[in-house]
């Protein structure tokens, strides 16, 4: 599986699966097989000076490790950001477990943010806590 940058016309793949919005400056990377079929994608939007909101979708969980290393390397090393955020429906137990498993921590629970009785959870990953990048890069400012 190869991890490469996405073209704007491919963002629909992520929108369809993750339900995210394409904001100004949106970027994404994808895991593709030899025939070019997309198996997973990570998008970045809502950029600020030091953070962005990440969106993750997978059709093939086997590609996830490859995507993660590049996802955080891009965000923390190449763009120099210090914090990654992700939002998850509290009822989406699979995505909640995934965020925790990769090292994100629950930063805030937004009561009734999805609908009355359905919360949204804001996760964060700080550069200094990211095990997916080299230790030297964790300390860089």
């Amino acid at each position: 599986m190869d991890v490469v940058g996405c073209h704007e016309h491919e963002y629909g793949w992520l929108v369809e699966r993750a339900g995210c919005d394409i904001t100004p400056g949106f970027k994404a990377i994808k895991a593709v097989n030899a025939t070019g079929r997309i198996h997973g994608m990570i998008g970045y939007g809502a950029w600020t000076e030091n953070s962005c909101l990440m969106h993750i979708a997978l059709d093939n969980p086997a590609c996830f490790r490859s995507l993660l290393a590049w996802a955080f390397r891009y965000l923390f090393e190449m763009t120099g950001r210090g914090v990654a955020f992700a939002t998850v429906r509290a009822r989406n137990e699979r995505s909640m477990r995934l965020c925790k498993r990769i090292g994100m921590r629950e930063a805030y629970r937004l009561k009734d943010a999805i609908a009355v009785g359905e919360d949204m959870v804001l996760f964060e990953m700080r550069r200094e806590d990211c095990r997916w990048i080299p230790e030297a890069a964790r300390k860089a400012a």
Side-chain angles (χ1 to χ4, degrees):
M1 213 83 40
D2 291 322
V3 176
V4 296
C6 289
H7 299 282
E8 287 182 25
H9 71 273
E10 297 173 305
Y11 295 165
W13 189 95
L14 183 61
V15 170
E16 179 182 304
R17 288 160 177 80
C20 58
D21 291 323
I22 304 300
T23 57
F26 193 89
K27 302 283 185 214
I29 60 172
K30 62 185 176 181
V32 295
N33 64 12
T35 66
R37 180 174 175 265
I38 299 172
H39 287 265
M41 191 179 292
I42 298 179
Y44 309 87
W47 293 93
T48 70
E49 184 178 323
N50 193 46
S51 70
C52 83
L53 184 62
M54 293 177 70
H55 309 279
I56 302 169
L58 304 169
D59 277 356
N60 177 355
C63 73
F64 196 47
R65 279 199 175 273
S66 299
L67 267 173
L68 275 181
W70 282 106
F72 290 113
R73 183 174 179 209
Y74 171 72
L75 180 65
F76 293 137
E77 293 183 61
M78 296 176 179
T79 74
R81 296 320 198 269
V83 186
F85 293 105
T87 57
V88 178
R89 290 174 176 261
R91 285 191 218 176
N92 187 340
E93 294 177 19
R94 185 175 173 197
S95 291
M96 295 280 290
R97 282 192 310 271
L98 177 73
C99 284
K100 291 174 184 176
R101 194 169 66 237
I102 66 172
M104 295 188 105
R105 72 167 191 85
E106 186 173 322
Y108 195 77
R109 186 171 289 252
L110 300 134
K111 187 164 178 57
D112 301 326
I114 303 295
V116 175
E118 187 173 6
D119 299 347
M120 178 187 292
V121 179
L122 177 68
F123 283 91
E124 75 172 354
M125 166 83 72
R126 298 183 113 16
R127 176 202 323 245
E128 59 268 21
D129 299 326
C130 183
R131 69 180 185 261
W132 303 99
I133 60 173
E135 188 171 345
R138 288 182 220 154
K139 296 175 183 175

